[in-house]
Each structure stands twice: as C-alpha cells, then as structure tokens.
C-alpha cells in the first residue's frame, strides 16, 4: 500500500517519485507500506500552501482555533485503540505505551485549547502621562516541525497543537520510521476542522528535513532528535536568523541513596531504563548506587530484568518490544562491544535475541554493565537502547558529581528518604527535569520540558513555556495625549 504527503487537504505523491518502505521492527517481513521520499519541490509546495493559509488562520480568534484543537483531542480519544495498534506496528513499543503516547497528545490538545483563552500579555504603566503600553503575543508564520519516531504522536503534538493554537501554520516532516502515525494525525486534524493548508505533512528523510530548514518562508524550526542533527540545524538556523527550538540527547542518571525505599527504586529503574526499550530521550541510562546498597540492589535488579517479557508490542503480555531498525540495532550492539572492550563488567544481557519469533525482529536483551567508569564511552554517550551503566558512589556528594559529569542534562532522579538529599538534588542536579522518588521518564504535558547543556538550546516545550517558541512579542504604545511626547526626554526636567 502506498501513502502520500498531505498538503492543503490533498493526499499527493512526492515530485521525486521515490519511495521508502516502512517495516514492523518486531517482524521485518511485515511491510506497513511505502511512503514518499520527498524533496525540496514538495517542501516548496507545502510551505507556499501554509503561507497562504496563515493569512486567515492567524486572524481567526484564538478561542475559535482552540475549539478545533479541542475537537482533535476528542477524536484522538475516539481513535485511541486503532491508532495505538498502528503506532505499535510501526515503531514497536507495547500497546499500553502507545496508548499513553496518544494520551499525552490528548492532554496537550486540551491544554493548548484552553491556553487560547489565556495567552496572556502585559499592560504596564507608561513613563509619560496619557499613554498606555501593552505587549502581546503574535503568531510568527509557517513553523517547520521535525520529529523522531519514539513518540510518534505525543512529541509532535507538543509542537503542533501550541503552534496552531498561537495562530501559526505548520509543515511537519515526521520520522521515516513512524510515518503512518503522521497520516492518522493529519486525518484527525482534518476531521476536527483544521482548514486546508494550515497543517501539512511532508514525508521523507534528511533531504526533506534540510529543505524545510533552508526554506526562507519557514520562520521557526522545532526539532526533536539527535544532538548531532540538532546542532547542524541550529547552525543553519543561526545563519538564516530563524528561531529554532531543539530537544536532543540525554544520558539521564538515577541516584539511589542508602536510605531509599529499594522496592520503589527497583520499579522506577526498571521502567526508566527498559520502558520503551530504553528509547526515550528521558530514559535512565546511568544508575548511581550508594555503596551500602550496591550489591543488594543489583541482585534485585538483575532478577527482575531477566524476567522481563520481550516480544512484539502487539501482544498484550509483552513488557518490552524491539528496537526501531537495523541501524539502531547495530549501533546498540556496537556500544555493548565497546563497553566490554573498555573493561566494564557485563552483568546481564549483552546480546541480540534471535530465537523463535524474535528472529524476525530487532530484539536486544536488556543489558546492564557494572564497574562503569565516568571515562567510558558507555557512560558518556547516548545509546538509545536497553543498556544501563552502573557506577558506585561513596557519598551523596560523589553521587551528585557522577550525575553531573555529563555533556547532557535532560532528566534525572534521586531515590532517598532524606529531606536534605532530596532538596540538595533539586537544587544541584544539572538537568531540566529532576524527579524525587520517581523514574526519569513520565513528564506531564502541562509542565515545561527540556534540558540544559547539549540537550537543548534554552527552550522548553510543554506547559506555558512552549508559547515562547511559537510566538513573537509585539509591543504597542498608545499615546492619547494629543501632543508629541518624547520618551526619555520630556520625562526629565534638566
Ligand atoms: C522523548 O523521549 O522524546 O517524559 C519524550 C517522558 C515522556 C516524553 C519523552 N513523557 O518520558
């Protein structure tokens, strides 16, 4: 079956007439369909359409736009089961997780819809009499959105709904590993009443993404993906004076102190490290264990990890699905080899699972390395798979130093019963998100989301802060004195 780009409510092939196949990562013989490998001509057409649509969409009262977005949330509720199966089939995570992914988009839709009645500005005193100063948010224009495959609906929704709510129009280049979900996203927005050209989908790979970044009429780029790609995008956006928001890599650490509730911490580490097969930017990939509980906690963890049920996410009993594709599978296995060569101790896992049904997909055993030193690549580099690196800390200060010894700073967590440790962690962990007695994954739609250091470039999606990405401030001075008043001059007597 062939799928198409979505421009101005039409489903159209790429001008390139080239296609890529979308496979089920749990069973690579299951081909979902062929999708267009788009080029600059397709981007040109989509951007032109989005630019035209901007004229009317940006002038629609924001609460009217909000009603359409709210309806989209309701249709996501109605189509949740069907869409979850489509998502799991193309990207592998279990159905209960894809349902959560959709729920995050529903929450974002309702939140964004409600924000259309707020989007507060400022009204402040003027320094001159009979003059009023205001500042309010204005839409920017066409937003280019480029996303990853691991949250095929939630992460795009974090960008698309606020961008639309604020009055922008959108051209979205979804991941070529999860393009079918994007097709459903478009169907839902159309049914909700988003007018033609306001929301467009152009499938493809880096070629289409680069054309979107380069297009002079795309004024904002919002990207989720690797730090390497994001850094290149930021450089181009810098040269072209575009606004750019980046959500990139993570190497998220959990600290477990000697006084922690170990059963609670165990559940948190299992979910944080191996949920979504470790393929979240928020995944727990470093575990810092306080010396007194080091051996005991590892024994508990290994036992649980070895009993995780692994297989196709379409099977409701499965806890962990495959990794996304051959390239990622090779990359993760090569990091496992690097870890062994660097001298870390492989405690469990460390291999591809290829017996029985698993032979048809990209399955990797959940893997734990101990004796990991902060100099090792498996401690420093984002692997994006089910691989957890463990280090021992002699004290809270040592644990904190280990956690902060990273070029990334997205999520973090500490398990402790001590108020002092908890507050010190809140203050001193270098990350955009810190969890106390909860895993590193599980951000909520109405809170700012993003990271410090090489994880981002200072923006926050989610919550009220996302509107800083998708709006510009307009300042207005209303002088009703009926005469020329000179700011900075007429206020001063000397
Ligand atoms: C991502 O992996 O890009 O907090 C986002 C979480 C999810 C979002 C992850 N709500 O883990």
């Amino acid at each position: 079956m062939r799928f198409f780009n979505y421009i101005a409510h039409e489903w159209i092939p790429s001008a390139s007439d080239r296609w890529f196949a979308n496979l089920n990562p749990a069973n690579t013989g299951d081909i979902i369909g062929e999708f267009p490998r788009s080029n600059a001509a397709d981007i040109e057409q989509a951007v032109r359409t989005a630019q035209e649509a901007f004229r009317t969409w940006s002038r629609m009262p924001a609460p009217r736009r909000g009603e359409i977005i709210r309806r989209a949330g309701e249709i996501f509720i109605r189509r949740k089961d069907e869409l979850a199966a489509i998502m799991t089939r193309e990207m592998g995570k279990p159905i209960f997780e894809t349902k959560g992914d959709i729920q995050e988009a529903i929450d974002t839709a309702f939140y964004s819809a409600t924000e259309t009645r707020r989007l507060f500005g400022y009204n402040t005193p003027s320094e001159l009499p009979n003059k009023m100063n205001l500042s309010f948010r204005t839409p920017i224009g066409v937003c280019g959105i480029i996303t990853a495959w691991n949250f095929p609906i939630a992460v795009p929704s974090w960008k698309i709904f606020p961008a639309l709510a604020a009055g922008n129009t959108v051209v979205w280049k979804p991941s070529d590993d999860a393009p079918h979900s994007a097709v459903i996203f478009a169907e839902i927005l159309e049914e909700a009443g988003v007018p033609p050209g306001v929301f467009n989908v152009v499938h493809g790979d880096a070629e289409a993404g680069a054309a979107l970044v380069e297009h002079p009429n795309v004024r904002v780029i919002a990207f989720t993906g690797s730090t390497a790609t994001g850094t290149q995008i930021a450089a181009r956006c810098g040269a072209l004076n575009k606004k750019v928001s980046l959500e990139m890599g993570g190497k998220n650490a959990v600290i477990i102190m000697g006084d922690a509730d170990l059963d609670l911490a165990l559940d948190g580490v299992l979910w944080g490290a191996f949920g979504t097969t470790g393929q979240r930017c928020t995944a727990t990939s470093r575990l810092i264990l306080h010396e007194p509980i080091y051996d005991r906690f590892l024994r508990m963890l290994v036992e649980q990890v070895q009993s995780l049920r692994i297989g196709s996410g379409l099977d409701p009993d499965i806890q962990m699905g495959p990794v996304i594709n051959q390239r990622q599978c090779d990359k993760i296995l090569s990091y496992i080899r690097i870890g062994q060569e660097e001298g870390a101790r492989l405690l469990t896992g460390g291999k591809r699972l290829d017996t029985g049904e698993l032979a048809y997909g990209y399955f990797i055993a959940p893997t734990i390395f101990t004796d990991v030193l902060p100099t090792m690549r498996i401690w420093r580099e984002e692997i994006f798979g089910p691989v957890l690196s463990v280090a021992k800390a002699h004290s809270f200060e040592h644990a904190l130093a280990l956690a902060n010894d990273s070029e990334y700073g997205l999520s973090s967590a500490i398990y402790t019963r001590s108020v002092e440790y908890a507050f010190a962690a809140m203050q001193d962990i270098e990350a955009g998100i810190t969890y106390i007695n909860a895993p590193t994954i599980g951000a909520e739609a109405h809170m700012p989301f993003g990271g410090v250091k090489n994880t981002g470039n200072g923006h926050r999606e989610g919550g009220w802060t996302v509107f800083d990405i998708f709006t510009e401030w307009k300042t207005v001075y209303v002088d009703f004195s009926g005469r020329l008043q000179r700011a900075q001059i007429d206020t001063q007597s000397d």
Side-chain angles (χ1 to χ4, degrees):
M1 181 164 177
R2 279 193 162 169
F3 294 85
F4 301 98
N5 289 336
Y6 177 75
I7 300 175
H9 280 194
E10 305 277 349
W11 295 99
I12 49 178
S14 164
S16 75
D17 196 28
R18 290 185 301 144
W19 304 84
F20 64 89
N22 181 19
L23 312 179
N24 176 348
N27 173 7
T28 56
D30 175 23
I31 296 169
I32 293 150
E34 285 192 313
F35 291 76
R37 195 180 287 283
S38 307
N39 61 19
D42 305 308
I43 292 290
E44 172 62 34
Q45 191 184 352
V47 172
R48 206 177 324 114
T49 307
Q51 229 185 327
E52 276 162 30
F54 179 72
R55 273 187 276 155
T56 42
W57 181 251
S58 59
R59 283 175 169 72
M60 183 187 280
R64 297 283 88 75
R65 294 194 296 259
E67 283 165 20
I68 295 173
I69 292 167
R70 186 180 304 281
R71 265 202 301 280
E74 281 155 7
I75 302 167
F76 270 110
I77 293 176
R78 195 188 79 220
R79 296 188 68 179
K80 196 176 194 180
D81 289 348
E82 169 214 357
L83 177 54
I86 287 171
M87 291 158 75
T88 293
R89 184 175 168 211
E90 73 175 346
M91 58 70 65
K93 66 186 175 188
I95 292 281
F96 72 90
E97 288 201 35
T98 43
K99 282 188 186 164
D101 189 320
I102 300 165
Q103 187 57 46
E104 207 163 332
I106 295 164
D107 298 342
T108 304
F110 292 166
Y111 182 78
S112 299
T114 304
E115 276 294 320
T116 59
R117 289 190 180 268
R118 292 162 36 97
L119 290 175
F120 293 134
Y122 295 88
N123 177 351
T124 68
S126 165
E127 64 189 43
L128 289 159
N130 295 326
K131 191 179 170 200
M132 198 179 279
N133 296 354
L134 11 145
S135 200
F136 51 86
R137 294 182 184 276
T138 57
I140 305 177
V142 181
C143 301
I145 289 176
I146 303 173
T147 51
W149 47 268
N150 61 334
F151 276 81
I153 296 291
V155 167
S157 84
W158 291 357
K159 305 175 198 293
I160 292 164
F161 288 136
L164 296 179
N168 303 285
T169 55
V170 165
V171 176
W172 176 26
K173 207 292 281 174
S175 163
D176 51 359
D177 280 310
H180 195 189
S181 303
V183 168
I184 309 297
F185 207 126
E187 286 176 9
I188 289 175
L189 290 200
E190 184 168 324
E191 187 188 338
V194 173
V198 168
F199 172 75
N200 307 278
V201 180
V202 179
H203 294 286
D205 53 23
E207 183 182 349
L212 192 56
V213 171
E214 294 295 326
H215 198 294
N217 297 332
V218 176
R219 299 308 312 152
V220 185
I221 294 288
F223 168 83
T224 295
S226 72
T227 295
T229 305
T231 305
Q232 282 174 18
I233 289 177
R236 286 306 298 152
C237 289
L240 298 166
N241 291 323
K242 289 189 189 197
K243 200 164 182 182
V244 58
S245 153
L246 305 170
E247 283 306 337
M248 305 183 287
K251 194 71 193 174
N252 312 294
V254 170
I255 298 172
I256 302 179
M257 294 305 296
D259 66 350
D261 175 338
L262 292 192
D263 292 319
L264 181 69
L266 180 62
D267 288 344
V269 171
L270 274 173
W271 176 228
F274 303 112
T276 325
T277 322
Q279 303 170 111
R280 291 195 192 204
C281 54
T282 49
T284 303
S285 57
R286 298 183 297 147
L287 175 60
I288 299 162
L289 295 176
H290 194 198
E291 204 166 3
I293 50 93
Y294 185 87
D295 292 326
R296 188 161 141 231
F297 190 80
L298 281 180
R299 271 197 307 276
M300 291 163 70
L301 182 62
V302 168
E303 194 190 315
Q304 290 296 314
V305 166
Q306 288 174 344
S307 63
L308 282 174
R309 292 183 300 278
I310 299 160
S312 164
L314 294 169
D315 175 343
D317 291 330
I318 284 309
Q319 292 170 291
M320 195 181 100
V323 301
I324 187 67
N325 56 29
Q326 185 72 55
R327 201 176 58 250
Q328 267 306 112
C329 189
D330 292 344
K331 181 179 161 195
I332 296 162
L333 292 171
S334 96
Y335 268 111
I336 290 170
R337 270 195 306 278
I338 290 168
Q340 287 169 301
E341 284 160 16
E342 282 180 320
R345 191 160 73 87
L346 182 62
L347 196 62
T348 185
K351 58 179 190 304
R352 188 158 176 179
L353 298 173
D354 51 10
T355 51
E357 302 258 291
L358 300 186
Y360 299 108
Y362 305 117
F363 292 96
I364 295 180
T367 299
I368 301 177
F369 279 106
T370 59
D371 301 342
V372 181
L373 301 175
T375 48
M376 293 180 183
R377 287 183 62 192
I378 56 168
W379 185 262
R380 310 207 72 79
E381 297 174 19
E382 186 178 48
I383 300 174
F384 223 64
V387 181
L388 180 66
S389 296
V390 185
K392 191 186 286 182
H394 311 298
S395 63
F396 174 74
E397 289 68 29
H398 184 207
L400 196 62
L402 284 167
N404 286 342
D405 183 15
S406 173
E407 64 164 302
Y408 296 112
L410 179 53
S411 190
S412 56
I414 182 167
Y415 282 85
T416 180
R417 289 190 173 100
S418 149
V419 173
E420 287 82 0
Y421 291 153
F423 275 83
M426 285 184 232
Q427 177 181 278
D428 294 331
I429 292 187
E430 296 164 0
I433 305 169
T434 296
Y435 290 90
I436 309 298
N437 292 328
T440 56
I441 67 178
E444 300 177 25
H446 58 296
M447 297 295 283
F449 181 93
V452 301
K453 303 185 194 171
N454 280 342
T455 292
N457 65 336
H459 289 285
R460 291 291 181 271
E461 300 189 309
W464 56 96
T465 44
V466 70
F467 293 101
D468 294 335
I469 300 169
F470 294 110
T471 58
E472 297 268 18
W473 284 100
K474 173 67 157 288
T475 296
V476 175
Y477 299 100
V478 185
D479 191 324
F480 51 99
S481 69
R483 60 194 167 86
L484 172 68
Q485 300 198 89
R486 296 171 301 177
Q488 293 94 37
I489 295 170
D490 293 344
T491 48
Q492 304 299 314
S493 50
D494 51 337

